[in-house]
Amino acid sequence: MNTKHHLTTRRSLLSRISRVQLLAPLFVFFSCATGIDAQQATQVQPTSPITLNCVRPPYLQKGDKVALISPSYATPMENVEKTAQLLRTWGLEPVIGPNVGKTYVRQYAGTDEERLSDLKWALGNKDVKAIICNRGGYGSIHLIDKLSPQDVSASPKWLVGFSDITTYHGMFARDGVMSVHGTMSSFLAKGGEDLTSTLMRDLLYGKVPRYELPAHPQNITGRAQGVLVGGNLCTFVPNLHTSADATMADNIILFVEEVGESMHNIDRQIRVLELNGVLSRCRGIVLGEFTSCGSEFTYESTEAMLREIFQKYNIPVLCGFPGGHGDINYPLIMGAPVTIDVRNDGATLSFDIDGEQSYVDCKE
């Protein structure tokens, strides 16, 4: 027998076995995370649901200070300065975060430490009554384990933003404070005279929107009450089971919007929510804009694809809310108790909080 050949073959076999043993746990992990194998994914032990009970930050008054910070990607200082000027016309005093204007590895608005420093500065400054984020992009997930509940809840104030700011909305809701899914400096810098901007301004001053929406072919009729959570789908799904996961609550109305994603990835993310028990905890669902998303399947629309999943839960689904990455992005109060009433002739979305009720006709 060729001893050298035998040893070489044995080493090769052991090497292959070792690689399989090392990769097996990784395969199980990624299968559960992405829904590759539903049988394995459903073996994950569910966590006990929580209950969200968020306080409303004080509405703004003329002369209040509003912080402008960049907790994710950077945006040109020109946008920040134009937004600051707009806030002055609204009767507010803008205060720009100390690290705004910095960049790190081209895209981030500074290092993790710099972005966290501005966020904590704005939250901890008792003179600051609201925080408007300059831009989304990416980077909020870096700070999940660096912000404490006390940072958020010690001095409740409005946080405004969307897209990657979805993570911070989840953190605020988990820490017991409402926030605003709304437009940011990258849009406000365009002038601030559009309805998207003025609705957000009015909300901060205490005018609570009551939205009347047209009928949508993929709506599922019904009425539901719960706490509004969610936002950008591919931002909040990776936050499952973290301190930024507001979908762990058992009394939620889930809002979902997305931009630039394929249909199959949207389907994948929703299936991950389903496998983690989120859809079973939903009392209702609100679908916003799906801007520039794919059409590789022959579904009539993204909403039609999602309706196939949602309809078995016997909950109302409101489609076509004008919020997300499109030209229209009406504000939503995250962490607030909300009522959705979906009818054959249209739908209503209203917030069950104090404030001057403001009727908004989205049918026009």
Side-chain angles (χ1 to χ4, degrees):
M1 180 177 182
N2 188 325
T3 304
K4 183 176 180 181
H5 174 75
H6 172 73
L7 290 174
T8 300
T9 302
R10 185 170 182 271
R11 289 193 189 102
S12 177
L13 177 60
L14 289 173
S15 176
R16 286 195 293 271
I17 292 173
S18 298
R19 285 197 295 270
V20 170
Q21 290 172 332
L22 287 170
L23 290 172
L26 292 175
F27 175 77
V28 173
F29 172 79
F30 285 113
S31 295
C32 293
T34 62
I36 294 173
D37 189 324
Q39 184 176 0
Q40 287 182 341
T42 53
Q43 291 173 359
V44 177
Q45 293 298 315
T47 56
S48 299
I50 61 174
T51 298
L52 296 176
N53 187 15
C54 300
V55 300
R56 175 188 60 75
Y59 294 123
L60 300 188
Q61 298 179 2
K62 296 287 185 179
D64 279 347
K65 291 184 178 180
V66 177
L68 296 173
I69 64 171
S70 300
S72 298
Y73 270 5
T75 192
M77 278 303 298
E78 179 184 5
N79 288 347
V80 180
E81 290 163 356
K82 286 182 177 179
T83 300
Q85 180 57 39
L86 176 65
L87 292 180
R88 293 186 187 99
T89 69
W90 289 357
L92 301 168
E93 182 181 343
V95 185
I96 299 174
N99 290 299
V100 171
K102 293 183 178 180
T103 58
Y104 176 66
V105 293
R106 185 186 297 170
Q107 294 280 25
Y108 295 119
T111 64
D112 289 357
E113 292 73 20
E114 289 169 336
R115 291 183 289 117
L116 178 66
S117 175
D118 275 10
L119 187 53
K120 285 191 171 185
W121 160 78
L123 288 169
N125 189 327
K126 294 187 181 301
D127 291 331
V128 169
K129 304 304 180 183
I131 303 167
I132 296 179
C133 299
N134 293 319
R135 185 187 171 189
Y138 178 71
S140 62
I141 197 170
H142 297 184
L143 307 184
I144 284 179
D145 60 346
K146 296 179 174 65
L147 201 66
S148 73
Q150 292 72 30
D151 289 327
V152 174
S153 62
S155 178
K157 59 195 68 179
W158 295 107
L159 176 86
V160 181
F162 72 106
S163 191
D164 193 57
I165 309 306
T166 292
T167 292
Y168 301 114
H169 291 313
M171 297 173 78
F172 269 55
R174 284 292 302 270
D175 296 336
V177 180
M178 298 179 195
S179 56
V180 178
H181 182 281
T183 192
M184 300 180 285
S185 291
S186 51
F187 186 89
L188 292 171
K190 297 179 181 180
E193 297 180 356
D194 56 281
L195 192 55
T196 291
S197 302
T198 56
L199 282 175
M200 191 267 283
R201 175 201 63 197
D202 292 347
L203 172 56
L204 292 177
Y205 272 121
K207 289 187 177 181
V208 180
R210 174 188 172 91
Y211 295 110
E212 293 290 338
L213 300 118
H216 191 286
Q218 303 305 332
N219 277 352
I220 299 178
T221 59
R223 189 175 187 274
Q225 293 178 304
V227 176
L228 189 64
V229 303
N232 181 253
L233 180 66
C234 289
T235 297
F236 72 78
V237 171
N239 297 338
L240 290 178
H241 307 293
T242 72
S243 59
D245 181 13
T247 70
M248 292 175 67
D250 60 358
N251 58 334
I252 58 175
I253 302 291
L254 184 65
F255 170 64
V256 177
E257 64 87 19
E258 195 45 82
V259 59
E261 290 292 339
S262 63
M263 271 191 169
H264 73 261
N265 196 40
I266 292 171
D267 178 88
R268 175 188 289 121
Q269 303 302 321
I270 294 294
R271 302 283 180 174
V272 171
L273 294 177
E274 183 173 38
L275 293 170
N276 280 274
V278 174
L279 299 188
S280 298
R281 295 194 291 273
C282 287
R283 295 181 178 178
I285 293 173
V286 177
L287 297 182
E289 302 287 341
F290 291 91
T291 308
S292 301
C293 289
S295 56
E296 68 269 31
F297 300 136
T298 56
Y299 289 106
E300 178 184 338
S301 62
T302 301
E303 291 87 349
M305 176 182 71
L306 296 180
R307 192 181 196 279
E308 285 191 356
I309 305 172
F310 298 149
Q311 61 188 357
K312 62 187 169 189
Y313 290 94
N314 297 315
I315 57 176
V317 177
L318 191 164
C319 298
F321 181 83
H325 284 75
D327 293 333
I328 300 175
N329 185 18
Y330 292 169
L332 291 167
I333 309 170
M334 312 308 290
V338 65
T339 298
I340 60 171
D341 184 12
V342 186
R343 309 173 304 276
N344 289 326
D345 64 344
T348 303
L349 187 157
S350 57
F351 299 97
D352 305 320
I353 62 174
D354 60 325
E356 179 185 346
Q357 294 294 308
S358 175
Y359 175 84
V360 181
D361 188 357
C362 303
K363 298 179 180 180
E364 298 178 351

